[in-house]
């Protein structure tokens, strides 16, 4: 019923129970997982590809997270290119700009992001984008780079969206799909819920971004894909549709964006 469009199931936090975590999610109705290779060290990419090879319902994305942008070299680009030729790899990501944590310098982030957008365009692959910071300091340059390097030929998702309603609509105009995580379920997230309500049903995705950001009811615990339905429940309420309809819409949107086999 659900498709977790963004999770880090290769993270060390699942070292002891990765297969059991996937099984719990399947039992909770998760029919597919997008395993994000970036964000937990460069080798996370090869682990995500291996996991996707091992499970029919897991697909991988590969990239360089903005936190790790300083590692970008021609050699890294060559490895990304090789992975992207793999049939179980469905796109580039997560990549983008994070001016909140600033774990890599501003220039390195912009350059690594621009290189990955250009690569995605060349290889005709969708992109999962991470953007964090004050709006517009990280948001405006993200969109500028996307438009300069992507030239309107690319498809992408703004994952774990936490920005303004105004920017969400600029991004929708630019063709993006918008994905919400457990943050949209938090008690204090009234403003974000208003943003989510304003994103049309045919442009919405759900994700956990596990192992972090466990939804309301599970806060403080390690997150897991089994709880993606909790995010979907909140979005269904906001859109005044049944949970089944919300699940189907977000699943169809993800299958279309990532061009998953039927
Ligand atoms: Zn992210
Ligand atoms: Zn992530």
């Amino acid at each position: 019923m659900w498709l977790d469009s963004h999770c880090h199931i290769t993270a060390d936090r699942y070292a002891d129970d990765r297969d059991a975590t996937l099984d719990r999610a399947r039992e909770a109705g998760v029919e597919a997982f997008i395993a994000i290779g970036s964000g937990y060290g460069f080798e996370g990419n090869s682990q995500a590809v291996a996991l996707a090879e091992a499970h029919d319902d897991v697909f991988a994305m590969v990239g360089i997270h903005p936190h790790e942008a300083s590692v970008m070299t021609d050699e890294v680009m060559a490895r990304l290119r090789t992975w992207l030729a793999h049939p179980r790899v469905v796109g580039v990501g997560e990549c983008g700009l994070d001016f909140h944590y600033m774990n890599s310098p501003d220039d390195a982030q912009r350059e690594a992001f621009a290189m990955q957008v250009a690569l995605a365009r060349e290889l005709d692959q969708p992109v999962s984008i991470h953007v964090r910071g004050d709006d517009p300091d990280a948001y405006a340059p993200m969109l500028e780079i996307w438009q300069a390097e992507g030239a309107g030929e690319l498809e992408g998702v703004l994952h774990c969206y936490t920005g303004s309603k105004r920017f969400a609509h600029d991004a929708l105009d630019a063709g993006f799909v918008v994905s919400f995580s457990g943050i949209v379920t938090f008690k204090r997230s009234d403003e974000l819920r208003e943003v989510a309500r304003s994103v049309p049903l045919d442009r919405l995705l759900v994700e956990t971004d596990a192992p972090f950001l466990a939804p309301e009811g599970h806060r403080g615990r390690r997150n897991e894909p089994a709880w993606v339905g909790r995010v979907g429940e909140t979005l269904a309420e906001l859109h005044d549709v049944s949970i089944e309809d919300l699940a189907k819409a977000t699943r169809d949107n993800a299958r279309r964006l990532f061009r998953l086999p039927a």
Side-chain angles (χ1 to χ4, degrees):
M1 168 165 177
W2 300 106
L3 192 153
D4 187 350
S5 70
H6 188 117
C7 52
H8 297 269
I9 33 181
T10 57
D12 286 346
R13 298 281 298 276
Y14 304 108
D16 296 334
D17 65 345
R18 189 165 292 114
D19 284 347
T21 301
L22 291 171
D23 281 338
R24 276 194 298 279
R26 291 172 184 129
E27 277 158 32
V30 178
E31 65 166 41
F33 309 81
I34 306 293
I36 301 297
S38 73
Y40 292 80
F42 183 65
E43 286 312 316
N45 286 305
S46 54
Q47 291 162 359
V49 176
L51 200 69
E53 280 175 341
H55 301 273
D56 282 348
D57 51 2
V58 177
F59 300 88
M61 294 188 91
V62 295
I64 299 299
H65 195 281
H67 290 339
E68 296 160 356
S70 316
V71 309
M72 184 57 99
T73 58
D74 290 344
E75 203 184 320
V76 164
M77 282 294 282
R79 284 196 69 190
L80 291 180
R81 187 183 288 276
T82 304
W83 280 317
L84 284 161
H86 192 293
R88 304 291 300 171
V89 176
V90 297
V92 177
E94 63 185 287
C95 58
L97 300 178
D98 193 317
F99 295 165
H100 180 69
Y101 291 106
M102 272 293 177
N103 291 353
S104 281
D106 179 323
D107 286 356
Q109 291 194 34
R110 289 172 197 255
E111 197 183 338
F113 179 48
M115 289 168 87
Q116 291 175 88
V117 175
L119 182 65
R121 180 183 172 193
E122 182 197 326
L123 302 179
D124 187 28
Q125 297 275 346
V127 186
S128 181
I129 293 187
H130 171 109
V131 56
R132 269 292 183 91
D134 293 328
D135 189 354
D137 78 342
Y139 290 76
M142 187 286 289
L143 198 52
E144 259 165 50
I145 293 168
W146 177 259
Q147 281 164 338
E149 301 293 337
E153 291 177 10
L154 273 173
E155 286 187 300
V157 51
L158 298 184
H159 107 85
C160 191
Y161 190 71
T162 54
S164 67
K165 188 188 276 190
R166 186 196 51 74
F167 186 82
H169 286 265
D170 289 349
L172 289 168
D173 290 345
F176 280 106
V177 168
V178 183
S179 178
F180 292 91
S181 69
I183 296 176
V184 81
T185 69
F186 295 174
K187 288 199 177 76
R188 60 171 166 81
S189 296
D190 286 333
E191 215 174 300
L192 186 61
R193 277 188 286 278
E194 284 316 305
V195 179
R197 193 201 299 278
S198 76
V199 174
L201 214 49
D202 63 352
R203 308 288 287 282
L204 267 181
L205 297 187
V206 288
E207 66 173 90
T208 56
D209 205 13
F212 293 111
L213 304 174
E216 200 63 50
H218 302 285
R219 290 194 68 180
R221 299 170 65 190
R222 182 189 70 174
N223 195 5
E224 50 178 81
W227 299 335
V228 71
R230 181 66 188 78
V231 178
E233 241 171 72
T234 294
L235 295 180
E237 256 170 54
L238 291 169
H239 280 266
D240 199 21
V241 296
S242 68
I243 291 175
E244 290 71 22
D245 286 350
L246 191 284
K248 183 181 184 333
T250 53
R251 203 168 67 220
D252 289 351
N253 297 341
R255 289 195 166 274
R256 198 168 52 232
L257 175 67
F258 301 121
R259 303 166 195 166
L260 303 187

